Amino acid sequence: MPRHPLVVALFALPATLIFLLFFVGPFAYFAVMSFWSVSSYRISREFTFVNYLDVYREYFYSLGFTFAIALAIAILTTVIAFAFAYLIRFRAGRWGPALLFITLITMFGGYLVKIYAWRTILGTTGILNTGLLELGIISEPLPWLLYNPGAVVTTLTHFLLPFSVLPIYGSLRSISDAQLAAARDLGARPARTLFDIVLPQCELGLVVAFMLAFFIAAGDYITPRLVGGTSTAMVGNFVENQFITALDAPQSSALAVAILLISAGTILGLRSILHRALAVR
Amino acid sequence: MKLNRTHSAADGLVRVRSLVPMTRRQLMKGTGALGAAALGMAASGGLRPAQADTNIKAMVWEGYDAFLEGGDFLAKNGLTLDKTYIGAAEEIIAKLRLNPREVDVSTPYFIQVDFMAAEGLLQPLDLEKIPNFKNLFPAIVDAARNNMTYEDQWYSVPFTWASIPLMYNADEVEPLESWMDMLRPEFKGKSAIPADPTSVFATWGRVVTGNQSPNRMTLAELDETIKFLIDMKKNHLRTIAASYGELGDLFARKEILVGEGAEWVAPLAGEVRVEWSYPKEGTMTYIEGYSMGVEASDPDAVYALINNALSVEGQVAGAEYNGLPITNAEALPMLSEANRATYPYDDIASFFTTNLRVEEMYLLEADGTNATWDDYIQGWETVMKA
């Protein structure tokens, strides 16, 4: 039965208010502030583009480096998450729910705990180096396991996997076994079934999984600081530095707005590519 | 629907409602009256317990509240602390600018105190109301005076201090004499500095340029220091520690053998024996003080709290909790052996003049020759980006 538009609007009001208050409002405030400036710890509300010029002049390479790392993490996470979700949905049988439960449990581990866990695994006196030394495979610890971009990718991929598994698994659940059986009966090879039946139907899950991994990785500043070493400063570290140490909220706001816009652009672009690639042939 | 309909005894909730027969219109009117009453009470100061404690808003580094709370001072005096822990001293400046009523007592970075006083963010302190001030080590008072006073008025009073010495794993490294020892080949990939631009520039600026006021380097000197730090970062350091606590962890996990740290980092290294030296080039020190916000709600209560932080009980509580030194000489006999062994209380006067260097505030406005605070921050980002 169609509802009166006023009723619909009334029902949507709480969600709209929350969205405006907690998402649009703060972002709009930062967007406005990004056109202000700071001198002697004092904000000047005169309109200026200088912060965006500085984003280009001072942080161009940092932004590039950050998005390259975030892209690598998002692709890796989405691929592994898809494989794992596929296993749970189609291959694990009655063990599927248990695997899903384990995936959910790891989300309670906490962000910092996972970072410290990887430091314990990859460090000079960590589990991996100690194990390799004990087995006689190496004669000295491998220092390059930790404090480099690879350690950041490893740590963040591990952290983000459960977030990516869930939306993909949700999409895979909507695919009926009958479709797969029909494809098999008609002689489709597994790869054909995957590309023509499975992937197009879980496109949304893939996009959400990728987005979650990409956005979180692009904005992170704790992981690079704790496992990234001397040359893995990501743009989040500069946002933090400008906000907290320099007290330059306008400059950090400009950086944050730039990160958001570039991230959104990247996601839209990649979604379009994925959509075309998965279009039913 | 009327609420005064009768129900069985089993229907408890509605039965209770029906004790006061009321129509919807009456209910709305009653609710409106209650709302108006609540608004009136809120406007007149709200509901308060009969004997409410005085709430003091403290904006401090985590752990520094232990000095204020030392002993049972708060309970005895009917005070409570509403604490906001800071991640950077600059947050205090921002808060005092935006909402000065929200900061009664704070711990600004001591080199910023005279600037904050000049900006009208802090209240001048009446030392008569802080009687424990007279018990402070004269050497510490002298060292703090230049930064903590403005126009001959104290705006902050020192409650602890520490320095940024050269730390090393004493199980594997002999005592070191110079900051340049950190760059020896055997420490390549085995050393670290903290992600703290203030201490990094103060320490290495002095070493690289010889300028004894590294917070006032010329632009050329700052450039030279940045180049040196980039080279050190790329070719020598294992990592840049996220914090001083992280440095302790790096020692504990044997990731590093040497590093630029602080005395209180040593116990964080666990089983690894970490010691430190005060290199011949000089060691940066920082003196922490309590200040009163310009619009503190209850100045007398704040004075009492600050005085407690400088009392024997406050000093011992804060020093032992944080592993930091005291400033009140009278608290010395009450300190643990470990704390007394960590800091050179016996000869504190010559220690402050010989080993330590007290820095001054950075320039905030460009003068054409010297680097400003913005230049230092920009320089640090250049190091991070390289």
Side-chain angles (χ1 to χ4, degrees), chain A residues 39-42 58-59 62 119 123-125 143 147 225-226 229-230 233 238 241-242 244-245 247, chain B residues 88 90 93 97 112 115 119 233 237-239 242 246 249-250 253 255 364-365 373 377-378 381 384-385:
Chain A
S39 176
S40 299
Y41 300 121
R42 196 184 289 278
E58 302 290 339
Y59 303 105
S62 300
R119 283 169 25 140
T124 304
T125 53
Y147 298 124
R225 187 172 261 196
L226 290 177
T230 55
F238 299 111
N241 193 49
Q242 287 295 331
I244 294 182
T245 312
L247 267 193
Chain B
E90 286 74 13
I93 300 175
R97 280 244 170 84
Q112 293 170 338
F115 157 76
E119 291 279 305
K233 185 192 94 155
L237 297 181
R238 175 74 167 130
T239 189
E246 165 82 356
D249 188 54
L250 287 168
R253 292 187 294 114
E255 294 290 349
L364 294 178
E365 304 290 344
W373 172 236
I377 290 291
Q378 206 73 42
E381 291 199 341
M384 284 167 72
K385 282 183 268 189

Side-chain angles (χ1 to χ4, degrees), chain B residues 42-330:
Chain B
S44 65
L47 287 167
R48 284 182 182 153
Q51 290 180 314
D53 286 347
T54 302
N55 190 33
I56 300 297
K57 293 181 272 296
M59 199 168 181
V60 298
W61 289 103
E62 189 171 1
Y64 284 1
D65 40 337
F67 289 92
L68 293 170
E69 294 174 328
D72 51 2
F73 180 79
L74 293 180
K76 268 187 185 169
N77 291 277
L79 298 173
T80 54
L81 270 189
D82 181 1
K83 305 168 195 172
T84 301
Y85 293 133
I86 54 173
E90 286 74 13
E91 288 175 34
I92 298 172
I93 300 175
K95 191 73 168 178
L96 280 166
R97 280 244 170 84
L98 292 169
N99 201 349
R101 288 183 185 175
E102 288 300 310
V103 187
D104 292 322
V105 61
S106 63
T107 53
Y109 185 31
F110 81 121
I111 67 167
Q112 293 170 338
V113 169
D114 49 0
F115 157 76
M116 292 169 73
E119 291 279 305
L121 302 175
L122 302 174
Q123 284 197 33
L125 297 174
D126 180 355
L127 297 184
E128 294 293 317
K129 293 183 177 177
I130 310 174
N132 285 319
F133 184 86
K134 66 178 185 303
N135 299 325
L136 302 188
F137 288 107
I140 295 172
V141 173
D142 288 344
R145 188 185 308 275
N146 188 40
N147 283 307
M148 291 192 180
T149 60
Y150 176 69
E151 294 180 342
D152 295 331
Q153 287 269 4
W154 286 84
Y155 281 79
S156 197
V157 288
F159 64 91
T160 192
W161 56 276
S163 64
I164 308 292
L166 178 52
M167 318 288 295
Y168 55 90
N169 178 335
D171 294 329
E172 299 192 34
V173 178
E174 292 296 311
L176 304 168
E177 291 180 356
S178 164
W179 284 106
M180 293 306 282
D181 288 338
M182 205 171 113
L183 299 181
R184 283 191 209 153
E186 64 261 37
F187 300 140
K188 187 179 169 73
K190 287 282 174 191
S191 56
I193 58 172
D196 174 12
T198 6
S199 79
V200 169
F201 279 118
T203 300
W204 296 99
R206 185 178 284 116
V207 173
V208 173
T209 68
N211 187 332
Q212 291 304 307
S213 295
N215 287 7
R216 295 288 176 97
M217 285 193 280
T218 63
L219 287 164
E221 286 172 336
L222 181 63
D223 257 359
E224 194 183 343
T225 308
I226 291 166
K227 280 181 191 144
F228 175 88
L229 289 172
I230 289 172
D231 182 58
M232 181 164 79
K233 185 192 94 155
K234 282 187 166 175
N235 301 312
H236 200 75
L237 297 181
R238 175 74 167 130
T239 189
I240 296 176
S243 65
Y244 288 94
E246 165 82 356
L247 266 171
D249 188 54
L250 287 168
F251 276 114
R253 292 187 294 114
K254 297 187 178 174
E255 294 290 349
I256 59 169
L257 291 172
V258 292
E260 178 200 321
E263 293 95 339
W264 52 270
V265 163
L268 306 179
E271 290 173 4
V272 173
R273 193 164 58 94
V274 172
E275 292 183 356
W276 59 92
S277 55
Y278 299 100
K280 61 186 180 190
E281 295 93 344
T283 301
M284 172 201 157
T285 184
Y286 57 94
I287 303 170
E288 302 286 21
Y290 285 114
S291 297
M292 194 187 316
V294 68
E295 291 188 26
S297 57
D298 189 340
D300 285 339
V302 176
Y303 274 121
L305 261 177
I306 293 177
N307 191 53
N308 186 59
L310 301 190
S311 70
V312 171
E313 294 79 17
Q315 286 277 284
V316 172
E320 298 298 351
Y321 181 80
N322 293 288
L324 284 167
I326 53 167
T327 55
N328 180 343
E330 290 191 342

